[in-house]
Amino acid sequence: LKVVDATNYTVLATIPLGGSPHGLAVDADHGVVYVTQVDGDSVSIIDLASETVVDTVPVGAEPEWVSLVSNGAKAYVTNAGDGTVSVIDTATRAVVNTIPVGSGAFYILADEGAGLAYVTNAGADTVSVIDTGTDAVVDTIDAGDEPVGLALSR
């Protein structure tokens, strides 16, 4: 993983990660970055100040993307290999829930204002809607062939 100065676009640091890093989410309030490790079935937690991996959390098979909810209190990780979302309590750095969503769970995007997270399930051709208060799927939307990304608009 490269840390880049956004002003002059120079590499400030290289943080070694294994396991094919893919999706990431920055929690600036707590000074950490969460990075999925597709081949490692885990999420690495990187301290922004020291630019080092401070913890690794095992999750489901082939984690793709991560999204923070509840002001950084939880991290939701899509697991394409087993069609689930792992919910990490960011204070304890442990998985506290595993939510079945659909085959090929790929991308996740949280809507903090609505208390919902949306998950694209590329293998199931659907989008799952998760209530982030209860960690339950509250709706499943047909999305056409292999949805992998999404955006939100009010």
Side-chain angles (χ1 to χ4, degrees), residues 9-10 18 21 29 39 50 62 67 73 85 90-92 100-101 111 127 137 149 151:
Y9 310 110
T10 58
D29 291 340
D39 293 338
S50 67
E62 299 174 30
S67 186
V85 171
T90 59
T92 63
V101 287
D111 181 348
V127 171
V137 175

Side-chain angles (χ1 to χ4, degrees), residues 99-101 114-118 127-141:
I99 307 166
V101 287
L116 300 171
Y118 299 85
V127 171
S128 296
V129 182
I130 298 172
D131 179 318
T132 59
T134 63
D135 290 343
V137 175
V138 294
D139 203 356
T140 302
I141 304 162

Side-chain angles (χ1 to χ4, degrees), residues 42-135:
S42 62
V43 172
S44 293
I45 302 172
I46 299 167
D47 179 77
L48 290 171
S50 67
E51 297 172 341
T52 60
V53 176
V54 292
D55 211 345
T56 301
V57 180
V59 293
E62 299 174 30
E64 296 287 347
W65 291 97
V66 59
S67 186
L68 298 171
V69 300
S70 302
N71 295 321
K74 295 192 281 186
Y76 282 54
V77 180
T78 58
N79 302 304
D82 60 18
T84 64
V85 171
S86 296
V87 182
I88 299 172
D89 177 317
T90 59
T92 63
R93 296 182 177 165
V95 173
V96 294
N97 202 350
T98 301
I99 307 166
V101 287
S103 174
F106 190 76
Y107 189 73
I108 186 161
L109 187 58
D111 181 348
E112 283 288 342
L116 300 171
Y118 299 85
V119 178
T120 60
N121 305 305
D125 301 335
T126 61
V127 171
S128 296
V129 182
I130 298 172
D131 179 318
T132 59
T134 63
D135 290 343

